[in-house]
Amino acid sequence: MVFTVADALDIDLLKDAGARVLTGSGSLDREVRWVHSSEISDIARFLRGGELLLTAGLGMGSTGALQQVFVRAAAHAGAAALVIEESGRMFDRVPDAVVAEGQACGLPIIALAREVSFAGVSSQVHEILTDKRLQALTHEREVESTFSNLLLDGADYLSIVQTLAELTDGTVILENIAHRVMAYVGEFDEEAGIEGWDRHARGLHSDDSGCVRRPVLMRGQPWGWIHVFTDRPATERATAAFATERAAAAVAISLLTDRSREARDDQRSTALITRLLIGDLSGAEFVDQAGRLGYQLGSGQIVVVIANKDARDESSGPRAGRQIDTGAISADMGDYVVAVAAESGRTRAELAGLLGKMEHGGGMSRAVPASMLQVAVTQAKSAAAVSRSLPASPMLHFDDLGVERLLVTLAQGPELASFVEDELGPLLTKDAQSTTPLLPTLRAFLAVDGRKTEAAEKLFIQRRTLYNRLDRIAAILGKSLDDAATRQSLLLAVKGLDLLEGSSIVARRSGRP
């Protein structure tokens, strides 16, 4: 939509006047912003740039030196082109000095073989400029309306990038502040082009370089950039630049809206799951209210999944890797993350994947009807608690638990702690005062049900060393480790100790950060 020197040469008045290009034929794509005519020698000081300067040559001077000064000043002032009449009022032919200086300055010099109405040229060009400006404004309003409607429809940044590519007929790339490509439409080899892209993204940009780039600003801070690669000539890139600016603003609003929506949804989900955990809602009531928030748990079987969190993890925001699933509602409860999901034929791995990477283990309930949802919560909590007590922190299903089911229940009160103290108290006290604790030896011995050779191999020690340690443990506890019932009781005590030490409450009381 830019009006150029070449466009000006196409108007009837100049064509009828026999206009011909003397210099600057390669610069005819210069933008003409308005027309100005003058016959004074110092007209250059009144120019603002982009003028199509019309003259009969009366102010250019009668000597070659003066004429060169005139041309040079007009070029430095930013004139788009200099149009000179060869009507005989000053020149029958444009002087060689003018042509030479025009070539030196790269300024288009146009000669007119006949007189022309400068007022008529000005009027015709300004009419065209006004029409083009009106077209540009209309186009800009259409672009603004397009992106506004996308935002009203809840479009994400992918849709915005796609729309920008359609509007500019170019390749569009959206990158974040770290220059990581977040989305692209058009020709871009993501694997082969990463190194080259990094060089481009971190380089200097101008709209004339073939790439139009605009920042995506969120709350005044740069989130990233949008790049538009287009084959359109530089004179037509203003429309691409405007569309890119509006797209960048739309992307920022979309990202902010998504974050606000996620924060609001997380808050509502957390409040609803909290009410379930404290028993304020029945299973059926929970499913009904979850449906009002857009989570369709259905009328089939439901599973509760709990992911343990590290006590040092202060993040309470959305979980990394969380999948968007309307068939599952989740919430971050501080020490753990809970998801209540419709089973819908999903495997255990698929259900566990609802909470992303479970680096600290977790637990999963059986599939139950809505009426038994409270039971499922208890099952998932039990499995997660046992998982936390194990070194590998696995993802445990409630059906994977054995005697730990009873131990988890006892851990809610003082009974388990009292049992552990009665069975292992003297040994734990002795280990606390020793640099070579004996509990690991007892743990390995009990894990193989008292088979001493296997225990020695498990501990990578000689059997004589194992015998000595077992004798010391028996003496400290005042019990015979050869007795099967004693070993069973001690095994339960060790499992109970692991369960207690694995709980977040014990971790905080022991002074761990």
Side-chain angles (χ1 to χ4, degrees), residues 212-339:
V212 177
R213 183 180 75 164
R214 293 295 183 270
V216 177
L217 301 176
M218 294 178 61
R219 298 189 179 94
Q221 299 296 320
W223 176 89
W225 292 269
I226 291 183
H227 301 250
V228 177
F229 297 87
T230 176
D231 293 332
R232 294 182 179 181
T235 53
E236 296 183 16
R237 287 186 191 145
T239 54
F242 180 83
T244 306
E245 288 176 358
R246 293 300 176 267
V251 167
I253 294 172
S254 176
L255 292 171
L256 286 171
T257 302
D258 287 345
R259 290 185 180 183
S260 298
R261 186 184 298 118
E262 288 180 3
R264 183 175 65 252
D265 290 347
D266 282 347
Q267 187 177 30
R268 291 175 176 174
S269 301
T270 300
L272 186 59
I273 289 181
T274 299
R275 294 185 64 190
L276 175 68
L277 296 179
I278 65 176
D280 191 37
L281 290 175
S282 67
E285 290 172 332
F286 177 85
V287 171
D288 178 64
Q289 293 197 25
R292 297 177 188 177
L293 296 180
Y295 299 97
Q296 304 304 319
L297 301 182
S299 57
Q301 301 288 88
I302 298 175
V303 174
V304 177
V305 184
I306 292 180
N308 293 322
K309 289 177 60 179
D310 193 320
R312 294 167 292 186
D313 184 5
E314 298 179 358
S315 172
S316 59
R319 277 76 58 202
R322 181 180 60 177
Q323 298 180 8
I324 299 174
D325 190 333
T326 58
I329 179 172
S330 61
D332 192 325
M333 306 307 296
D335 290 333
Y336 51 89
V337 181
V338 181

Side-chain angles (χ1 to χ4, degrees), residues 452-453 456-457 461-468:
K452 297 178 180 177
T453 300
E457 292 174 352
I461 59 176
Q462 295 181 355
R463 279 185 294 175
R464 182 177 299 279
T465 301
L466 175 67
Y467 297 157
N468 291 335

Side-chain angles (χ1 to χ4, degrees), residues 17-355:
R20 69 184 189 281
V21 179
L22 301 180
T23 68
S25 58
S27 301
L28 299 183
D29 59 352
R30 287 186 174 186
E31 181 181 1
V32 174
R33 295 188 175 93
W34 48 73
V35 177
H36 192 69
S37 61
S38 177
E39 302 301 335
I40 63 175
S41 60
D42 60 346
I43 184 60
R45 67 191 183 95
F46 298 108
L47 302 182
R48 299 171 59 187
E51 292 88 358
L52 184 67
L53 183 58
L54 308 176
T55 182
L58 300 177
M60 294 181 67
S62 57
T63 67
L66 290 174
Q67 294 161 3
Q68 288 178 322
V69 169
F70 184 93
V71 173
R72 191 181 310 123
H76 290 171
L82 178 60
V83 181
I84 306 171
E85 279 188 353
E86 295 177 326
S87 60
R89 282 191 289 177
M90 182 66 184
F91 307 118
D92 292 326
R93 185 176 64 85
V94 175
D96 292 341
V98 173
V99 174
E101 191 62 30
Q103 290 175 336
C105 296
L107 177 68
I109 305 290
I110 292 97
L112 300 180
R114 290 175 290 279
E115 284 186 339
V116 69
S117 170
F118 288 171
V121 173
S122 178
S123 175
Q124 194 169 356
V125 170
H126 287 159
E127 184 178 342
I128 295 172
L129 290 174
T130 300
D131 185 60
K132 284 186 173 290
R133 183 53 184 157
L134 181 60
Q135 292 178 31
L137 287 173
T138 301
H139 177 72
E140 289 174 0
R141 296 298 173 268
E142 291 174 350
V143 169
E144 288 181 340
S145 177
T146 297
F147 288 119
S148 295
N149 289 334
L150 283 174
L151 292 173
L152 289 174
D153 292 340
D156 58 12
Y157 63 81
L158 297 176
S159 300
I160 295 171
V161 167
Q162 176 68 51
T163 300
L164 179 60
E166 294 170 358
L167 290 173
T168 59
D169 192 27
T171 295
V172 179
I173 297 178
L174 175 66
E175 63 170 353
N176 63 13
I177 191 68
H179 302 294
R180 176 189 173 193
V181 175
M182 306 299 293
Y184 65 89
V185 176
E187 298 180 2
F188 176 70
D189 188 340
E190 190 169 4
E191 294 184 0
I194 289 297
E195 183 177 348
W197 171 253
D198 193 59
R199 287 196 299 269
H200 171 85
R202 297 179 186 275
L204 298 176
H205 285 75
S206 70
D207 290 353
D208 294 334
S209 65
C211 172
V212 177
R213 183 180 75 164
R214 293 295 183 270
V216 177
L217 301 176
M218 294 178 61
R219 298 189 179 94
Q221 299 296 320
W223 176 89
W225 292 269
I226 291 183
H227 301 250
V228 177
F229 297 87
T230 176
D231 293 332
R232 294 182 179 181
T235 53
E236 296 183 16
R237 287 186 191 145
T239 54
F242 180 83
T244 306
E245 288 176 358
R246 293 300 176 267
V251 167
I253 294 172
S254 176
L255 292 171
L256 286 171
T257 302
D258 287 345
R259 290 185 180 183
S260 298
R261 186 184 298 118
E262 288 180 3
R264 183 175 65 252
D265 290 347
D266 282 347
Q267 187 177 30
R268 291 175 176 174
S269 301
T270 300
L272 186 59
I273 289 181
T274 299
R275 294 185 64 190
L276 175 68
L277 296 179
I278 65 176
D280 191 37
L281 290 175
S282 67
E285 290 172 332
F286 177 85
V287 171
D288 178 64
Q289 293 197 25
R292 297 177 188 177
L293 296 180
Y295 299 97
Q296 304 304 319
L297 301 182
S299 57
Q301 301 288 88
I302 298 175
V303 174
V304 177
V305 184
I306 292 180
N308 293 322
K309 289 177 60 179
D310 193 320
R312 294 167 292 186
D313 184 5
E314 298 179 358
S315 172
S316 59
R319 277 76 58 202
R322 181 180 60 177
Q323 298 180 8
I324 299 174
D325 190 333
T326 58
I329 179 172
S330 61
D332 192 325
M333 306 307 296
D335 290 333
Y336 51 89
V337 181
V338 181
V340 181
E343 184 191 35
S344 302
R346 288 185 277 202
T347 64
R348 292 185 183 182
E350 290 171 338
L351 289 166
L354 294 171
L355 296 178

Side-chain angles (χ1 to χ4, degrees), residues 423-432 438-439 442 473 476-477:
E423 293 294 318
L424 298 176
L427 182 62
L428 296 176
T429 300
K430 189 71 174 178
D431 278 357
L438 295 171
L439 181 61
L442 177 61
I473 292 171
I476 293 170
L477 297 178

